Amino acid sequence: MKISQVAAQLYTCRDTLTDAAGVAKTLRRLRETGYTAVQLSGLGQEVAYSDFIRMCADTGLVCCATHESSNVILNTPEKVIENLNILDCKLTAYPFPTDIDLSSRKSVDAMIAKLQHAAEVLAGAGQTLCYHNHNHEFRKLDGKTILDLIYDGAPAIQGEPDTYWIQYGGGDNRAWCRKLHGRLPMIHLKDYETTASNTPAFCEIGAGVLDFKSIIADAEAAGCQWFIVEQDTCPGDPVDSLAQSFRYIQENLLS
C-alpha cells in the first residue's frame, strides 16, 4: 500500500458538510493533513456534485469513490452513472440495505437481483458498483450469511469490506479479503476497540485491536486499489481523528 492509495471517507466529517463553506474548509484541512483522495458520502443537499468536485480540484484532492443513495442504486442506476461522470469517478458502493427486510429470503433475493442489474448497468458505462457491509449481513439465512448470498448471487458486484463491521459481526477480515480476490477495488479501514464499559467502539487506526498489517497485505493480494479511512463516531474533531489515523498509517503500515 502506498500513501497515495489512502483516502478519507467524508462520512466521518458529515456534520461539517452541510454547506459549501463547510465542505471547502473540511477538504482544505484534510489536504493539509496529508490526504490526497476522498470518498464522497454525507454531502449536504445544498452542495451540488459539480461544486464539490471543483472544490476538490482547487484543494488538490481527487474523489476516488462515492456512496450513492441505496434506493437510487437499486431503482435508477442511470442516475448513479450521471453522478459519477460529474465527479470523473469510476467507483461507488451500495452503502446500506435501506428498506430491505433482512429476515426474509425473498426480500434479500429481490435486493440481490437489483444489485446485479445495477452493477451490470454501471459496468456498461465503465464504472464499478461495490457492496459496503455492516454487521447485519453476517446473519444467516438458509445456512449462509447474507453477505455470502449477496456475493454469490450478484457476481457483477465488487466488494467494499468494512473492517470494523466485519469484526463486529463475527467475521474474519483476512478471510474476506481472500474470498474477494479480484473483486476488491476498495476497503474501509476502521479500527475496533472494547471500552471500559465492555462495549465495542470505533477508534482511530492503530488504537484498536485489528491487525491492519495483515489485513492490508491480504487486500493488496486481492487487488485492492484504495484504502479508505473511516470513523463513524469520533471523540472530538473528526478531522483530528482522521489525521491521527493517517499518521499511524504513514509511520507503520506502508509497503
Side-chain angles (χ1 to χ4, degrees):
M1 179 181 69
K2 308 300 183 187
I3 199 64
S4 59
Q5 294 176 281
V6 178
Q9 222 299 9
L10 288 178
Y11 182 78
T12 309
C13 307
R14 57 196 177 278
D15 291 341
T16 64
L17 305 180
T18 56
D19 56 31
V23 172
K25 181 178 179 180
T26 300
L27 294 177
R28 285 196 303 271
R29 293 185 64 203
L30 288 171
R31 185 67 189 92
E32 289 166 359
T33 293
Y35 288 97
T36 57
V38 294
Q39 181 179 29
L40 177 57
S41 181
L43 189 67
Q45 293 184 350
E46 296 180 11
V47 185
Y49 272 24
S50 56
D51 292 329
F52 169 80
I53 198 61
R54 175 183 52 77
M55 286 186 275
C56 283
D58 291 344
T59 312
L61 291 163
V62 299
C63 180
C64 67
T66 75
H67 276 184
E68 299 293 318
S69 160
S70 299
N71 287 326
V72 170
I73 288 172
L74 293 187
N75 299 310
T76 52
E78 297 80 8
K79 177 60 179 176
V80 178
I81 293 171
E82 293 176 15
N83 289 343
L84 294 182
N85 283 339
I86 293 170
L87 299 169
D88 192 24
C89 178
K90 300 297 185 184
L91 286 170
T92 192
Y94 180 81
F96 189 86
T98 304
D99 300 326
I100 306 299
D101 180 3
L102 295 182
S103 67
S104 162
R105 181 64 188 264
K106 181 179 179 181
S107 177
V108 169
D109 284 346
M111 176 188 72
I112 291 170
K114 286 190 173 184
L115 284 169
Q116 173 68 11
H117 172 71
E120 292 172 345
V121 171
L122 265 66
Q127 298 168 357
T128 301
L129 177 62
C130 301
Y131 190 92
H132 172 258
N133 67 273
H134 290 79
N135 58 305
H136 43 234
E137 287 92 351
F138 289 91
R139 292 159 52 187
K140 287 188 175 181
L141 289 176
D142 300 328
K144 297 183 71 173
T145 69
I146 294 169
L147 199 56
D148 278 306
L149 292 174
I150 290 166
Y151 285 121
D152 291 347
I157 282 281
Q158 302 281 302
E160 185 188 49
D162 185 296
T163 58
Y164 176 94
W165 291 118
I166 289 176
Q167 175 79 9
Y168 188 103
D172 182 330
N173 272 290
R174 297 189 65 188
W176 272 100
C177 287
R178 292 191 292 268
K179 187 178 291 190
L180 291 171
H181 184 87
R183 297 176 72 181
L184 200 155
M186 54 183 175
I187 187 171
H188 274 185
L189 303 183
K190 187 186 300 182
D191 215 341
Y192 178 104
E193 67 173 346
T194 300
T195 68
S197 58
N198 202 34
T199 57
F202 306 102
C203 62
E204 293 76 14
I205 304 299
V209 301
L210 295 186
D211 178 8
F212 281 109
K213 266 215 176 285
S214 297
I215 293 169
I216 288 167
D218 287 330
E220 283 191 298
C224 190
Q225 305 162 27
W226 290 104
F227 301 82
I228 302 169
V229 181
E230 183 179 28
Q231 191 168 331
D232 293 30
T233 59
C234 303
D237 186 327
V239 175
D240 289 344
S241 287
L242 288 172
Q244 180 178 326
S245 292
F246 186 87
R247 288 192 298 271
Y248 182 87
I249 291 168
Q250 196 168 37
E251 293 168 4
N252 298 279
L253 298 178
L254 299 182
S255 55

